[in-house]
Amino acid sequence: MSILRLTFLGTSAAQPTLHRNLSGLAVKANTDLLLFDCGEGSQRQMVRYGTGFTVDAVFFTHFHADHYLGIIGFLRTLGMMGRDSAVQLYGPPTARRLLNQAVHLGVESLSFPVEIHELRDGDTVRRRGYSVQAVAVDHRINALGYVLQEDERPGKFNLEKVKALGVPSGPLYGQLQRGEPVQLADGRTIRPEEVVGEPRPGRRLVISGDTRPCPAMVKASREADLLIHESTFSDDEQARALETRHSTAREAAQVAREAGARRLILTHLSSRHDTDPSRLLAQAREEFKGPVEVAHDGLTVELPLRD
């Protein structure tokens, strides 16, 4: 998988504002396009930020209205665009009941199949070159975070050493890179481990969804290339965070620090911090010394390959 690109479609909590739409994240994973949550207005945001509509799967963190009602209009749009291939919808239990209602709301039938799957803690969806794993988190209702884990990548191919060993360029190079030994014309056998380095870990993207800080999210975020964690509130709103089972920016940063994540992006902001999230950013930076930023609608992030 070469491309791992994220576009934030909505970064507001509970209600949209002039500047922030409801929750939605588009992830381009090589040739796949995934959505994580689909708040109202997500389809317009996809037009606005140029993500395209060739979505393969939608993963819902939970079924509070601000995280999933946008699927109704989104599916209608796909139908009007002539879609005929299936769309996969994933979410925690109640997904089948709630999404089945949404799929059929306002229209007799769609022109394409919609397949609904319920996920529980630890369930994994395999895709080509990566997987998406569900992680149970701590919210007011049944809720999931998600870990997108790229498959392990082959080690670096040592071209200079291959040439020094007298391997002729061409198909034999490909065999060695695929882990296959090759035999040369002089009878020597060259094994892949002689010219290919140790396998390299794939990239790891973690999406918290709505949650209190919890051990499951710390574990899921171990050495993540990027942790996207909700940060609905600031320090002075701690009581409200506890009441609603959300996180403060400081708590999100503590999760990132404990997990050894490489980078943190804060999202799902209360309207109190709509246009000025500086307090959230400052509080998070007191806890987490790695790169940290506050997401805004339209923010696009490319995750580079690991060395």
Side-chain angles (χ1 to χ4, degrees), residues 198-234:
E198 290 295 316
R200 292 169 288 179
R203 290 164 288 187
R204 187 175 183 87
L205 165 67
V206 182
I207 300 161
S208 77
D210 287 10
T211 184
R212 291 288 299 147
C214 59
M217 189 48 50
V218 173
K219 182 179 179 181
S221 305
R222 296 285 183 207
E223 299 184 353
D225 294 83
L226 173 61
L227 168 60
I228 300 172
H229 201 290
E230 72 121 296
S231 56
T232 311
F233 298 113
S234 60

Side-chain angles (χ1 to χ4, degrees), residues 100-291:
N100 190 60
Q101 293 172 353
V103 166
H104 296 100
L105 185 63
V107 66
E108 290 184 1
S109 63
L110 292 169
S111 60
F112 54 91
V114 175
E115 300 176 5
I116 301 171
H117 313 269
E118 291 189 347
L119 299 177
R120 290 169 173 78
D121 182 42
D123 286 348
T124 299
V125 178
R126 280 294 312 166
R127 306 285 300 182
R128 188 173 63 178
Y130 67 97
S131 63
V132 178
Q133 184 179 30
V135 179
V137 294
D138 179 6
H139 194 41
R140 300 196 305 277
I141 64 173
N142 196 7
L144 298 172
Y146 290 103
V147 178
L148 190 156
Q149 177 65 60
E150 182 182 26
D151 292 350
E152 191 174 68
R153 296 163 50 231
K156 290 184 178 180
F157 187 64
N158 191 328
L159 185 58
E160 290 184 2
K161 191 168 185 180
V162 170
K163 289 180 177 179
L165 288 169
V167 180
S169 61
L172 297 184
Y173 281 18
Q175 286 181 235
L176 288 167
Q177 288 175 307
R178 290 192 299 271
E180 303 168 6
V182 301
Q183 189 165 21
L184 304 185
D186 60 10
R188 287 182 297 140
T189 297
I190 308 299
R191 305 192 63 79
E193 54 267 29
E194 297 180 63
V195 295
V196 179
E198 290 295 316
R200 292 169 288 179
R203 290 164 288 187
R204 187 175 183 87
L205 165 67
V206 182
I207 300 161
S208 77
D210 287 10
T211 184
R212 291 288 299 147
C214 59
M217 189 48 50
V218 173
K219 182 179 179 181
S221 305
R222 296 285 183 207
E223 299 184 353
D225 294 83
L226 173 61
L227 168 60
I228 300 172
H229 201 290
E230 72 121 296
S231 56
T232 311
F233 298 113
S234 60
D235 285 353
D236 58 338
E237 300 163 308
Q238 181 70 61
R240 183 66 176 153
L242 288 167
E243 177 188 356
T244 60
R245 308 311 295 168
H246 284 293
S247 297
T248 66
R250 183 179 302 278
E251 288 171 328
Q254 289 168 348
V255 171
R257 187 193 68 219
E258 291 175 29
R262 298 183 174 200
R263 181 178 180 183
L264 171 66
I265 295 182
L266 307 175
T267 190
H268 198 267
L269 277 58
S270 164
S271 58
R272 298 175 184 84
H273 308 286
D274 180 28
T275 58
D276 183 13
S278 57
R279 273 193 302 164
L280 301 182
L281 187 60
Q283 290 163 11
R285 284 177 170 166
E286 289 177 2
E287 300 292 333
F288 179 65
K289 302 310 178 184

